[in-house]
Amino acid sequence: MPPHGKRRSSPLITLISFFFLFAHSAFAASAVLGIDLGTEYIKAALVKPGIPLEIVLTKDSKRKEAAAVAFKPSNPKTSTSEAHVFPERIYGADALALSARFPSDVYPNLKPLLGLQFKDNDVVASYSGRHPGLRLVESKDKGTIGFQSESFDSEAEPFLVEELLAMELKNIRGNAVALAGKGSRIQDAVITVPSFYTAKERRAVTLAADLAGLRVLALISDGLSVGLNYATSRTFPTVNEGGKPEFHLVYDMGAGSTTATILRFQGKTVKDVGKFNKTVQEVQILGSGWDRTLGGDALNEIVMDDMIQKFIATSRMKTIGVDAKHIKEHGRTMAKLWKEAERMRQVLSANTETSSSFEGLFYEDVNFRYKLSRTEFENLASNYAMRVQSPITAALESAKLSLSDIESVILHGGAVRTPFVQKQLEAAIKSADKIRTNVNSDEAAVFGAAFKAAGISPSFRVKDIRTGDIAGYAVGVTWTSDGKERQQKLFVPTSHTGAEKQVSLKVTSDLSFTLYEQIPATAGLRDLPVVKIQTLNLTASVQKLTDKFGCPTTDIKTQFAIRLSPTGGLPELVRGSVSCEAVEKKGGVVDGVKDFLGFGSKKSDQEPLKEDASGKSSTASLDGESSTISSPKESKTSDSEANKDADEKAKDAKPKTQTIYLDFSTDDAGLPPLSTERLQQIKDRLSAFDASDRSRMKREETLNTLEAFTYKARDLIEDEGFILASTEKQRTEIEEQFKSASEWLYGDGADANRETLKERLDYLRGLVDPVQARKDESAKRPKEVKALQEALEQTKAMVSLISQNREAQLIAEEAASSASAADSSTASTTDSATDSETTEPPASSITDDFADLEDDTATSSFTTTSELPPPPPPMPSYSADELALLTEKQESVQKWLEAKLAEQEKLSPTDDPAFLSSDLAAKSKELNEVLMKLLQRQMQIPGRPKSSSNRARKSVTKSVTPKTSATEAAEKAEDTEASMDDIFKQMPGLEKATEEEIAAAVKAQKAETEQEKAEEVRGDKSAEKTERAEEKAEEKAEGKAEGKAKEKTRKRLKEKLKAKSKEKKKPPKSKSKSKGTTKATGKADHGEL
């Protein structure tokens, strides 16, 4: 094993380790808990993103949970092999409420029993006297306390205190998960412990948390936790700037014990990241004192003892002959008395007197009334009142301070509200003004623990408050050397956690030593072992120093670094090493080779030889390095000189410390740890309890469902829709069966298992569900039928649309074939005309006002008053298979619906329906899916290509350039043939215009077009010149075909205008739909003329 602190790993392992570390921080550490582990109550606070320092509520919405768990007995008793019939666990106040009924299975106030031996222990005897119904036994594994439950047979292993406490902590964790929200996982926690807890008790708390599924980030003293909460909202003087620290005393009296903790609060400037400084707050414990048995339980016991004395003094008890011993051995009687004693003590904190009545106490026909005043109570507790000041005195002595140094006394704990306790505190402090109640005496500790947990967790960033806890007890080390047992003190009780000390031992062989705590006892101090350490390679490391470095055994030092753990406060070994001072050998294998070759071990040794006249030596240089060859005589001389230099260097060499780190093993001392088998057995039993609880919850859910179903059936029988869907016979059977089930539930069914309840529920549902289904279907059917019919109508419309589209496609294909034939004819005519002559075609014989339309043969321009609207997108092309598929789907669904509707009409309301509403919804879905696939095709059809010229899109004047060949011009002319009626529809003012008005409009249009062309040419002169040059080059090639197209268009337009002018003089008739053909070299919007 590599030495501690010197372990090395590959970069890959390091990277993987960091990955899992950060992954754990991101998921597991997203929420943390602070737990105030009290004797009577357990409180918890949650810290989670979005939930800062929130108290975890119980299932009854209370802010604290009673520290009790109870087993509700089951019949028969549970054996170790019957995991499915474990008794029910009940927590908190509900568990305490069962103490009078089941005194042998209610386990309250377990904290004082943690880590204690069963034999010869006053705390164990006192606890057993307060709760005589519990059967305390000795654990075979550790010799600690165990509980034998009456709910289990005698062969079952007793429950350890840690096991029962783990159940309570797991219940707290479950409440925290419910508060954090679904999906949250809580694993990390900081738990408060008294400052007097020993290593055994601290380890017991850690074991209980581990069994509950919690990872303890740290254990924090109760007083320090209260002080940390006090500092979160305050800023203290900075000592670096001359400020004086503040000293406060936290007096905490709970149910089981009392502690006094002196804290120092101060600000301090420390170095921050880079060259910056920051001011942090520090809270450190300087001293503490305690009384392990002074608390609320001790005061309750005083009241209970007085109750017993007055109860046995009654005439009835004297007649029966009952004494105090009989009462204290009776579990139910003691449970009742203890509960009332605690209530009366709390009432006396605010009232001067109180009373309590008991019915059936000890015997069923015995009643008892008890009355107590505050004065009587204070007289009974006079001996305890004198002990209130003792923790304060011990804390001041430990911190080496006086009362005048204390600025305030912060009260915490429930028992501090007792009037005589406050009087004793005022007398001890000698100033009532110093006693403060400016913190929450119930929740300050849990808030401080939660703040500590958030500060440790990497998931949160909180105010920088640095805390310092103390050991509580002196710590030392003991070992055996030369046959003698040796001992050395390491830490005092006020040493802060995290402190580290170097321990030097004069040993050269493997040894075993023990770290211990000094615990105050009746006869003085007692050393309790904490951890046992065994070295593994000390002997071999000493031998290595001797052989390799030549270290004398007497000069070898053995050192161990021991510190107080910053998380638990227990002593631990950090590292161990052996070392000695030895002369470092400068040379090595490489240096020897260099010396042999004449290079020397250092540059200072490599002095070049001087050439003499005889030329006995020569020097060669290669790449900046030199090599020397000398004669044998000179070599001998150089060897002797080198030996002298080596001797001188050996004398001048400085010693260096050679260190070897040690391997070691550690084992917990004191109480023996649980074996692996026993620990796994405890975990398995806790898991079986959890499984049993989950099964019980499911049974209760089934029982509640069955009970609710019986009530629901009564309403169904009277429902009008249910009556229509059922027969008289069915309703009678349902009524009888539900009446029988209701009687069974309150009889034998109360203890039935989940399977029996579920079977009964399924049978009743089998009677009701068919009728209910018919009722629901009759209500849903009209709506679903209407939806399907609408889907069919949509499908029919789509079929019609696709059919029209298909017809349009066929017409377009025929027109395309005709145009292709015309292209071939025009192309052949153009080629022959071009070959025979190159002159311009003869002018048209028709002379009219349209002659000037041929002035510009290269470009046809039309002036528009606004932007042209985009052409509509083309219709999608659907195949015959798609049309057939849609038609087939529509017809099949239509036939299915008609058949089902006809079948349904033949049925009565009490018959099962011919089809379900879900079937109708499925058919509608099928039609919609087919329609959506076809419509998605239309959505994917791209639009018409846009013009490549930005100027043409922005300008009001549209310029259209003809095709670049005669064949393309003829094809364009044929494709643009349109009906003259369509032209007049696009130009509504053209019908009313005369020929003279049209001619004037054409001339104006031409003038405006030429003006716009001139402006366009000036704006983009170079581009226009290039374009016109290309157009002129193509003009000759287009020639005759273009002229013919224009001539044909002019003739048709003139004829149409003459016909329209004649129709003006006649009565209006229906418009003819004669078609004409227009040939042009570009697209023109005639509606803009």
Side-chain angles (χ1 to χ4, degrees), residues 510-668:
D510 288 314
L511 82 158
S512 175
F513 58 93
T514 303
L515 302 178
Y516 64 89
E517 290 179 330
Q518 283 189 339
I519 308 299
T522 306
L525 297 176
R526 184 175 50 156
D527 295 343
L528 293 180
V530 177
V531 60
K532 186 177 181 180
I533 301 168
Q534 174 68 49
T535 61
L536 303 177
N537 63 337
L538 177 58
T539 304
S541 300
V542 170
Q543 187 66 34
K544 184 177 181 180
L545 290 176
T546 303
D547 297 342
K548 185 175 181 179
F549 301 102
C551 297
T553 306
T554 56
D555 294 341
I556 296 177
K557 297 180 181 180
T558 304
Q559 286 187 332
F560 297 95
I562 301 173
R563 73 172 180 180
L564 295 173
S565 172
T567 58
L570 301 181
E572 60 182 3
L573 178 61
V574 179
R575 60 185 174 275
S577 63
V578 292
S579 61
C580 69
E581 292 186 351
V583 177
E584 182 181 8
K585 296 181 180 181
K586 301 291 183 180
V589 176
V590 178
D591 294 334
V593 173
K594 287 183 178 181
D595 292 338
F596 178 77
L597 296 176
F599 296 129
S601 60
K602 290 184 177 181
K603 292 183 179 180
S604 59
D605 299 333
Q606 301 178 15
E607 297 181 357
L609 299 175
K610 297 181 180 180
E611 285 191 50
D612 54 7
S614 60
K616 293 182 179 181
S617 63
S618 62
T619 302
S621 177
L622 178 62
D623 294 338
E625 297 184 0
S626 61
S627 61
T628 304
I629 304 175
S630 55
S631 63
K633 183 177 180 180
E634 291 172 347
S635 297
K636 292 180 181 180
T637 303
S638 62
D639 291 340
S640 62
E641 292 177 355
N643 292 333
K644 292 180 181 180
D645 293 341
D647 294 338
E648 293 178 358
K649 291 178 182 179
K651 294 179 181 180
D652 297 339
K654 296 181 180 180
K656 182 180 179 181
T657 302
Q658 305 295 333
T659 303
I660 299 177
Y661 290 94
L662 300 178
D663 297 336
F664 53 86
S665 63
T666 60
D667 295 312
D668 294 340

Side-chain angles (χ1 to χ4, degrees), residues 908-958:
S908 66
T910 59
D911 294 332
D912 291 336
F915 57 93
L916 301 178
S917 58
S918 58
D919 299 335
L920 296 171
K923 294 295 183 180
S924 299
K925 185 178 179 181
E926 291 178 7
L927 291 176
N928 290 333
E929 288 179 352
V930 175
L931 289 175
M932 288 304 298
K933 289 181 180 179
L934 297 179
L935 292 176
Q936 285 175 358
R937 284 195 53 197
Q938 183 177 6
M939 294 170 61
Q940 296 173 357
I941 295 295
R944 293 182 181 271
K946 297 182 180 180
S947 173
S948 61
S949 173
N950 292 332
R951 181 178 299 274
R953 287 195 298 265
K954 296 179 181 179
S955 176
V956 178
T957 302
K958 302 292 182 179

Side-chain angles (χ1 to χ4, degrees), residues 101 235 272 313 382 578 705 714 889 1002 1016:
R101 295 176 55 194
T235 302
D272 199 1
S382 58
V578 292
T705 304
R714 300 173 186 174
K889 177 62 67 175
V1002 171
E1016 185 176 359

Side-chain angles (χ1 to χ4, degrees), residues 391-604:
I392 299 176
T393 304
L396 291 173
E397 292 177 357
S398 177
K400 298 179 181 180
L401 295 175
S402 62
L403 283 174
S404 59
D405 298 324
I406 304 300
E407 295 193 13
S408 70
V409 176
I410 303 172
L411 300 182
H412 189 265
V416 295
R417 301 185 182 95
T418 308
F420 79 84
V421 172
Q422 295 185 356
K423 291 179 182 178
Q424 292 294 326
L425 288 175
E426 292 177 2
I429 302 300
K430 299 178 182 179
S431 175
D433 297 336
K434 287 188 176 182
I435 297 179
R436 307 285 175 82
T437 57
N438 48 7
V439 299
N440 190 327
S441 60
D442 285 330
E443 299 175 353
V446 68
F447 279 134
F451 188 89
K452 178 73 172 178
I456 296 175
S457 173
S459 301
F460 305 96
R461 183 178 180 180
V462 298
K463 181 180 179 181
D464 197 346
I465 302 177
R466 302 184 179 183
T467 59
D469 213 332
I470 60 174
Y473 299 103
V475 176
V477 58
T478 178
W479 75 99
T480 302
S481 177
D482 299 331
K484 296 181 180 180
E485 185 175 350
R486 304 182 183 275
Q487 190 176 32
Q488 180 179 345
K489 289 186 178 181
L490 301 178
F491 302 100
V492 297
T494 55
S495 296
H496 286 94
T497 56
E500 184 177 311
K501 275 196 174 182
Q502 299 290 334
V503 181
S504 298
L505 302 179
K506 294 184 178 180
V507 291
T508 56
S509 60
D510 288 314
L511 82 158
S512 175
F513 58 93
T514 303
L515 302 178
Y516 64 89
E517 290 179 330
Q518 283 189 339
I519 308 299
T522 306
L525 297 176
R526 184 175 50 156
D527 295 343
L528 293 180
V530 177
V531 60
K532 186 177 181 180
I533 301 168
Q534 174 68 49
T535 61
L536 303 177
N537 63 337
L538 177 58
T539 304
S541 300
V542 170
Q543 187 66 34
K544 184 177 181 180
L545 290 176
T546 303
D547 297 342
K548 185 175 181 179
F549 301 102
C551 297
T553 306
T554 56
D555 294 341
I556 296 177
K557 297 180 181 180
T558 304
Q559 286 187 332
F560 297 95
I562 301 173
R563 73 172 180 180
L564 295 173
S565 172
T567 58
L570 301 181
E572 60 182 3
L573 178 61
V574 179
R575 60 185 174 275
S577 63
V578 292
S579 61
C580 69
E581 292 186 351
V583 177
E584 182 181 8
K585 296 181 180 181
K586 301 291 183 180
V589 176
V590 178
D591 294 334
V593 173
K594 287 183 178 181
D595 292 338
F596 178 77
L597 296 176
F599 296 129
S601 60
K602 290 184 177 181
K603 292 183 179 180
S604 59

Side-chain angles (χ1 to χ4, degrees), residues 975-996:
D975 290 341
T976 55
E977 291 185 359
S979 173
M980 297 305 297
D981 290 337
D982 295 337
I983 295 177
F984 281 101
K985 289 179 181 179
Q986 297 176 5
M987 299 181 293
L990 191 60
E991 294 183 357
K992 302 177 181 180
T994 62
E995 295 184 8
E996 292 78 10

Side-chain angles (χ1 to χ4, degrees), residues 841-958:
S844 177
S845 59
I846 303 174
T847 58
D848 52 24
D849 295 332
F850 297 95
D852 53 0
L853 291 176
E854 300 181 11
D855 290 346
D856 188 0
T857 58
T859 303
S860 297
S861 298
F862 303 92
T863 302
T864 62
T865 59
S866 62
E867 190 80 21
L868 289 176
M875 287 292 294
S877 176
Y878 295 107
S879 63
D881 294 338
E882 292 174 335
L883 178 59
L885 175 63
L886 185 59
T887 304
E888 181 182 358
K889 177 62 67 175
Q890 182 262 330
E891 292 176 352
S892 64
V893 173
Q894 183 70 40
K895 291 179 181 179
W896 178 87
L897 178 60
E898 292 174 354
K900 291 298 181 181
L901 290 177
E903 185 178 351
Q904 181 63 36
E905 290 178 357
K906 299 177 182 179
L907 300 176
S908 66
T910 59
D911 294 332
D912 291 336
F915 57 93
L916 301 178
S917 58
S918 58
D919 299 335
L920 296 171
K923 294 295 183 180
S924 299
K925 185 178 179 181
E926 291 178 7
L927 291 176
N928 290 333
E929 288 179 352
V930 175
L931 289 175
M932 288 304 298
K933 289 181 180 179
L934 297 179
L935 292 176
Q936 285 175 358
R937 284 195 53 197
Q938 183 177 6
M939 294 170 61
Q940 296 173 357
I941 295 295
R944 293 182 181 271
K946 297 182 180 180
S947 173
S948 61
S949 173
N950 292 332
R951 181 178 299 274
R953 287 195 298 265
K954 296 179 181 179
S955 176
V956 178
T957 302
K958 302 292 182 179

